[in-house]
Amino acid sequence: MIPFISVLSRLAACLLFSPFLLGVIGKTKAFFAGRKGPPLLQPYYDILKLIQKGSVYSVTTTWIFRAAPLIFFATTLIASFLIPFGGLKAPVQFWGDALLFTYLFGLGRFFIILAAMDTGSSFEGMGASREAIFSCLSEIVLFLNFAALAVLSKSFSLSQMIGESWWASWTVSGPSLILVGASYFMILLVENSRIPIDDPATHLELTMIHEVMVLDHSGPDLAFILHGAAIKLFVQGSFFVTLLIPFQSHNRIIDATVFLAAMIGLAVIIGIVESVMARLRLNRIPSFITGAFVLALFGLIIAIMRVL
Amino acid sequence: MRLFLLSLEILAFSAVLVLFLDRFRKLCHFVFVASLVAACSLNFFVSFPFLRGGETSIFRIPWSVPFGEFTIGLDPLSAFFLMTIGCVALASGIYGCGYLQEHHEKKNLGVHYFFYLLLITLLLVVVTARNAVLFLTAWELMTIIGYFLVTFYDEKKSVREAGYLYLIVTHCGTFCLLVMFALMGQAASSMDFDQMALAHYAPGLTGLLFILGLVGFGAKAGFFPIHIWLPHAHPAAPSHVSALFSGFVIKTGIYGLLRLIFIIKDLPAWSGPVVLAIGGVSGVFGVLYALGQHEIKKLLAYHSIENIGIIALGIGIGLLGNASGHESIALIGYAGGLLHVLNHAVFKSLLFLSAGSVIRSTGTGEIDAMGGLLKFLPFTGHLFLIGSLSICGLPLFNGFISEWLVYRALFDGVIHLDKFGIIMAVMAAVSLALIGGLAAICFAKAFSVIFLGQNRSHRQDIYKENPCMMWGPMMFLAAICVWIGLFPKTIVSFAFASAHFLIAAKPVAAQTEFLLQPILSTTKVLYIFLLVLGLLVLCRALLARRYPERRVGTWACGYPSLTTRIQYTASSFAEPVLRLFKWMVCFQVQRSEKSRINLPEELELSSKVVDMPEHFVFRPILAMLRRFSGMLLKLQSGHIPQYLFYMLLGLIALLLWKFPWRA
Amino acid sequence: MNTVWIDMALAVVVILAIGLLGTSRLGSIVRLFALQSFILAFLPFLLEGGIGIHKVVIATGTLIVKVIAIPAILFWAVRHVSIRRDTPAIFGGSASLLVGGFLIGLSFFLSSRLVLSGKPFSDLLIPSAFSTLFIGFLVIISRVKAITQVVGYLIMENGIFLFALLLFETTPLLVELGIFLDIFVGVFVMGIIINHIQNEFDHMDISQLTSLKE
């Protein structure tokens, strides 16, 4: 049975805390650039402003354009049920929930791509086409990471794969976990459209991937997309944080605080990476993903060697 | 059993009846549809008890053909395929009735319906035959009748050539099957499947039989290097025939392979990895070639190759699990493969039928000449959307369930198998992930370029939606997709029952419960997802009421004169992927001659992919064979003294051989 | 506990080698090599046996020669010839990464086949030594500019250093000092030759050197 309070608090954490991560990233980048930067709560102001606006729809679009932000938002919310947050257990765990996790995001992405092509504009088509290929490649690397974790933990449920990383297993599988973590971090950057893959701040159509796909959305639709992207970063970041931080006291408050602090640390790291690297050329992005693939492969080989 | 025979008789009788009824159009249609409905419903009723329990039943008539007996049997494996054919044949047949309305004057529809009903009968016999001679006879007849169905538009040269290619490739496969059954019959000293299952085969012989079976059944199913007839035959045939072919006829190859696995109990250890490799290669190459196609039926044909690859992945991991003694891996692998047979039959037929509707409404199959059809063809468009979501394996629909099962078998393999098994399972899992991702790209491209945006050709026609006889069956298939996707328990337990039969194990209720549990949890999560989505839609509707909405043209970043040709076309959408995999699919971009002028007015740019086995393997072999036979032609000159000379040579050879030489 | 740190250090060494395959900027290549040598300098301290004079000398030698001196020479060379990039010629970016991954797999396979007299203190040692050696070799094959060739040779030296860790107790100090001198002189000479090539031909492409035979 799913405990009601844990589900509600999890939903609240996702909805309320995730835009804060975007604010932290913005502040870190501003710090590196020597500016003061937008306030930490800026993403909240943006979302609230957008909800209160009307929307403009193109005459070319169909119901898919209106439905896509809602489907995307719903998939990110449901995905947050499947993953443990640090020491806190996931409310829903079963064998193979990692597959549902990945494919839910795939469903949301499919509809956003359809909505982009729905507008009949070549800019959105460009972004849709690029997004499609890069996310397909990053899914391969993700499955390789799952394979390495499955070999190490002998199970295929997210809660067992990443939730049980005590110090003991670090001594056996340390290098493997570092490699999986590094590979997953690179995939995190690809999936959430951070530099060096995509610049979330620019609006030049020749360089964008995600920003250009949602060019035509406005008003509450854009609010859903922004908030959904923040929740996606939160949920996928929590995979990374839970993998690398093997901390579990059995007190919920301490676990939650440690987890949130670690997420803020992750946001700072992403901000630092964004500030010191430049965007890669579009035809170098497959090389980036291949690098993540080789790292994951290496981690898998070490895992097989250690466990057998 | 008696009901099954009744359905066979209904089909055969109405086939002959329809042949003579061509003049009475309405009666012809009525007999055709009625017989299909009757036969398919009977098939459904017949198959359910076999899938719930694990029984078998046999029916026999003696036959005067040497070694042959008319033996038909039903067991869970056959019952599963019977259920599949029921869905597909019914939907395609009723659709075909509506689709071919306009061809009445020019063509003899009675003959076409005769062939269709006969094909269904033969398909039913193939999946239930229990004697090798009966099986091969039905297989051969099925091939030939299929040829007649495919070449419906035989006034076009390309259709005739596609028919020839189909015949040639499947006959090469049938030759291998003939050799295989001959060897098996000799080892078991009987042509009966049940006797063969009890016999013991030498280890070398099992390897040879398996390879012959792979080539023979693979030519029909469409495994990668011998798939070359599929991309030509499917676009050539009328859409409901393509749906039947892609939905079921190629699955008879899979049925044959599974029956072979059932009969030869101890296959060599390398059989699992080989099938996994074939599955991975077929899947990846199939979907890459599909991405490069601009004609919708050829695109769907290559996707069939890809899905056969996925089924082969399921069978391969099942074989691997069987060989290493892990029964649960084998069970889940086979169940996943079997379920994907049913799922693919359903959603591929749905896609082909929708494609047929689109072609009928617009008059062309080129994707790049379409756009914005969702407004004109709402039923077709939304049903195509359901088909696309299913084939990409996205949650809420049936493709996700069968791919989930195959993934589960692969990851169970990763956890439990030895080192070599883990490497194979990981490679298979990675290729399945790649296949799924690329299929999503391909269908995002196909759906959005056909139905969304604006019309890319400059035609201003209003397209009419197709009659309800055509979208009615499509809705039936889409309903099955959604039902399996959200309430999979029944069908998945059927698949498990067949898989249990395949590995000759008795199903244990507790074990089946345990295996089904994660799927039920998945669907529970999906129900919550639908609930949350509903709440969000409500929220959005409330917000829309409070704040105003406007409709304007699409924002064009300030460019003044945009045409519909500026939209992304299918080739542009697929270009980044194809450029990345250029060496695998021979992707070429061709420019027109005029690009050399400095300020040209009109340019042409096109891209194409070249089917590698066809162009680099089979066409050169064909050219060599032609030259060789040209050389042989000199031996047959028509000159009588030359033939007398051959007779003299033969006499001398006979004398030398049989002469009683003095010792 | 120590094995964990050794394992992680070896894994980081191979990660840096992979990163070197993926980048085409000369500045990054030299910096990654310096970082790799830095980690290798401290690796002897993680072995058992306490802190002896042997280890301190090795560590200081590696630090001075491979982390400070040679990168300085290389950076001087880079600034002098003012080239910034060296894109892999034979394979291309993604392909050289994939070949590198294949070579890593090959080195794991080879090391599982080797029969050793004594058991090494970490089972990741031989594979990462082989990997670094192979990747150094791959860099020499696939790159075109002379400076990257030098770095490739130095990475092979790093790989050999890892092998030498196996025989740490028995290798006399003199041999290792000899190796250091060898490397230092070699790089020095290569720097001089690069300088002369640049002055004479105005570019650094070794593929152009074949035109000398005409």
Side-chain angles (χ1 to χ4, degrees), chain B residues 425-482:
Chain B
V426 168
M427 277 173 32
V430 166
S431 48
L432 191 56
L434 180 60
I435 293 172
L438 290 174
I441 300 181
C442 192
F443 273 95
K445 163 189 107 167
F447 180 73
S448 51
V449 171
I450 299 179
F451 291 104
L452 303 176
Q454 291 172 319
N455 201 321
R456 284 168 180 81
S457 66
H458 294 286
R459 295 161 55 174
Q460 300 291 330
D461 314 344
I462 306 286
Y463 301 111
K464 287 197 323 187
E465 178 61 273
N466 294 291
C468 103
M469 194 173 236
M470 285 171 68
W471 54 256
M474 287 175 9
M475 253 209 220
F476 166 65
L477 291 172
I480 299 184
C481 285
V482 173

Side-chain angles (χ1 to χ4, degrees), chain A residues 2 51-64 66-67 69-71 73-75 77-78 81-82 92-97 99-100 103-104 106-107 110-111 113-115 117-130 132-133 136-137 139-140 143-144 146-148 150-151 154-156 205 215-216 218-221 224 283 286 293 300 304-305 308, chain B residues 374-375 382 385 388-389 392-396 400 403-404 407-408 411-412 414-419 422-423 426 429-430 432-434 436-441 443-445 447-449 451-454 456 518-519 521-522 525-526 528-529 532-533 536-537 539-540 543 547-557 559 566-569 572-577 579-581:
Chain A
I2 305 175
I51 290 187
Q52 293 166 21
K53 291 198 173 215
S55 7
V56 178
Y57 288 113
S58 156
V59 291
T60 327
T61 57
T62 62
W63 64 270
I64 294 186
R66 294 171 204 239
L70 303 173
I71 298 181
F73 190 73
T75 55
L77 272 185
I78 301 292
F81 287 158
L82 297 170
V92 179
Q93 6 172 332
F94 50 89
W95 204 109
D97 54 14
L99 282 172
L100 187 60
Y103 273 85
L104 274 175
L107 182 66
F110 189 79
F111 270 98
I113 291 181
L114 283 185
M117 294 291 286
D118 198 8
T119 57
S121 154
S122 48
F123 301 113
E124 278 95 341
M126 210 185 289
S129 154
R130 293 167 187 169
I133 175 64
C136 168
L137 291 177
E139 222 175 78
I140 304 176
F143 271 90
L144 209 55
F146 283 155
V151 169
K154 295 263 179 245
S155 99
F156 192 47
E205 61 272 7
L215 207 57
D216 231 53
S218 54
D221 289 331
F224 277 122
N283 59 352
F293 180 82
L300 178 66
I304 297 180
M305 209 179 68
L308 284 181
Chain B
L374 195 61
K375 302 189 179 82
H382 290 108
L385 180 64
S388 316
L389 287 170
C392 298
L394 292 174
L396 297 178
F400 178 64
E403 276 191 26
W404 193 93
Y407 270 124
R408 178 173 176 173
F411 275 98
D412 262 344
V414 164
I415 295 175
H416 295 296
L417 289 174
D418 62 326
K419 216 182 269 197
I422 294 185
I423 296 179
V426 168
V430 166
L432 191 56
L434 180 60
L438 290 174
I441 300 181
F443 273 95
K445 163 189 107 167
F447 180 73
S448 51
V449 171
F451 291 104
L452 303 176
Q454 291 172 319
R456 284 168 180 81
I519 300 189
S521 312
T522 313
V525 175
L526 289 175
I528 302 182
F529 169 72
V532 170
L533 189 59
L536 283 174
V537 168
C539 265
R540 182 78 186 84
L543 282 172
Y547 302 110
E549 273 182 26
R550 284 191 300 141
R551 297 206 54 124
V552 292
T554 307
W555 183 55
C557 291
Y559 289 101
I566 292 196
Q567 288 175 104
Y568 245 52
T569 58
S572 3
F573 194 90
E575 192 250 352
V577 186
R579 205 160 16 97
L580 196 61
F581 291 104

Side-chain angles (χ1 to χ4, degrees), chain C residues 37 50 57 61 64 72 78 91 122 148 181 183 200-201 206:
Chain C
S37 314
V57 171
I64 297 181
V78 170
F91 300 123
S122 159
T148 335
L181 188 63
I183 303 175
E200 191 61 39
F201 293 110
I206 55 161

